[in-house]
Amino acid sequence: MPKRLIASHDPHLARRRTIERLFLHLGRAATFFGVGVLAILLLDVLTDGFPRLSWEFLTSFPSRRASQAGIYSAFIGSLWLLVLTACFAFPLGVGAALYLEEYSSRGPLQRLIEINIANLAGVPSVIYGLLGLELFVRFLQPLTGGRSVLAGSLTMSLLVMPILIIASREALRAVPDSLRQGGYALGATRWQVVSRLVVPAALPGILTGTILALARAIGETAPLITIGALTYVAFVPELSLSGLQTPFTALPIQIFNWISRPQAEFHVNAAAGIVVLLVVLITMNAAAVVIRNRTQRRGFD
């Protein structure tokens, strides 16, 4: 339709286009501002911390002397937290999402559960730390060993569980209902439809949500401070049940400890620790992208 004819039918067209261009420029400016601030922060951290990175820094325990301090115990503690949190949170979160989305009947109880899960996803992390302190550190001390890596990973599991459930439910909802109906038309049971059709189709979204939830867990500091993670640990937890009941530290705790010190040398160590933490997060995101792409190709095949 010619522009003159469109303008004659819509007298406010010029104003609408002006508003549209204004919002376009505002959105572009907001994007560039956020990316610019992030780039400045990353450049500052890399400039300060990259020269401090070395094999000795990665394999040394914390020390009162900044030049001899390392992140070995904190790095291993973060890996322990990451693996154990995934072991606890993934089956429980995906199982809860499967039950709510595929098996439970629509009713007041399900709506109540959904509202509570959505509210729990927005609760500050320090609240989960207080819950973990009372439940896992004090009440279940004979099982967890108190302020241990096991209590820390259980607390982190509670923290990421609502996020994981919501992400898994969204992935399950994205599966076309015609796929389920086709399975039932062929005589499959509900379990066969869910396990062989729905879950494989939703797996890319579930894995992406899981990786993002774990990325949040590995960067959280407040719950670990609340449950009493140590800032100076000169050993690493052993690969055994008794090892899981030993005290621990983690990268965010170690970075927080160095940042709070007045000496500038420890601030350089903190910047180097942030670089290591960023590398871990980028590696996790890259692994999530690779796994998602592979599972998507399998799904289409």
Side-chain angles (χ1 to χ4, degrees):
M1 186 178 292
K3 293 182 179 180
R4 290 182 179 178
L5 187 58
I6 295 176
S8 63
H9 285 285
D10 189 354
H12 304 293
L13 181 62
R15 191 182 68 174
R16 289 167 52 192
R17 287 180 174 174
T18 302
I19 295 174
E20 182 181 352
R21 285 196 294 270
L22 178 63
F23 273 101
L24 174 64
H25 293 311
L26 286 176
R28 189 175 294 168
T31 303
F32 286 143
F33 178 77
V35 174
V37 171
L38 179 62
I40 292 173
L41 291 176
L42 288 176
L43 181 63
D44 183 61
V45 169
L46 290 174
T47 303
D48 292 341
F50 194 76
R52 181 68 180 85
L53 289 177
S54 64
W55 184 249
E56 287 75 16
F57 180 75
L58 298 175
T59 57
S60 298
F61 288 105
S63 172
R64 292 182 176 84
R65 297 180 180 178
S67 59
Q68 299 177 1
I71 60 168
Y72 183 62
S73 57
F75 184 71
I76 299 299
S78 290
L79 291 182
W80 267 113
L81 282 178
L82 182 66
V83 173
L84 291 175
T85 301
C87 292
F88 292 134
F90 182 77
L92 293 176
V94 175
L98 280 172
Y99 170 75
L100 291 173
E101 202 62 34
E102 302 294 333
Y103 288 94
S104 67
S105 58
R106 309 293 175 185
L109 179 61
Q110 190 194 22
R111 286 197 293 273
L112 180 64
I113 295 174
E114 289 176 354
I115 292 172
N116 280 282
I117 291 174
N119 289 331
L120 287 174
V123 171
S125 58
V126 67
I127 303 300
Y128 287 98
L130 293 172
L131 178 62
L133 174 66
E134 187 63 33
L135 181 60
F136 301 125
V137 175
R138 294 175 179 170
F139 183 72
L140 296 178
Q141 182 178 5
L143 178 63
T144 62
R147 306 176 189 275
S148 64
V149 64
L150 184 59
S153 59
L154 288 170
T155 304
M156 287 301 179
S157 300
L158 290 181
L159 173 67
V160 302
M161 192 88 69
I163 304 173
L164 209 156
I165 292 174
I166 293 174
S168 300
R169 292 192 65 190
E170 291 298 329
L172 292 171
R173 284 177 184 172
V175 178
D177 200 46
S178 59
L179 195 65
R180 298 177 178 85
Q181 299 301 327
Y184 291 133
L186 294 175
T189 62
R190 175 173 290 188
W191 167 246
Q192 289 173 329
V193 169
V194 170
S195 62
R196 299 181 185 180
L197 296 177
V198 177
V199 172
L203 194 58
I206 294 175
L207 291 177
T208 302
T210 303
I211 295 293
L212 294 177
L214 292 177
R216 181 189 175 184
I218 199 174
E220 281 287 349
T221 308
L224 300 180
I225 293 177
T226 307
I227 66 172
L230 301 179
T231 57
Y232 181 84
V233 175
F235 59 88
V236 294
E238 297 178 357
L239 187 60
S240 63
L241 181 59
S242 60
L244 299 181
Q245 296 174 330
T246 57
F248 73 105
T249 186
L251 276 175
I253 297 291
Q254 190 65 67
I255 294 170
F256 176 76
N257 179 35
W258 283 337
I259 286 290
S260 60
R261 295 195 177 196
Q263 298 91 341
E265 293 81 5
F266 282 108
H267 297 172
V268 175
N269 287 352
I274 293 173
V275 173
V276 174
L277 190 59
L278 286 175
V279 171
V280 174
L281 292 174
I282 293 173
T283 304
M284 291 176 61
N285 288 331
V289 171
V290 172
I291 293 173
R292 183 181 60 190
N293 291 338
R294 289 189 175 182
T295 51
Q296 279 180 337
R297 282 199 295 269
R298 289 181 183 177
F300 285 117
D301 292 340

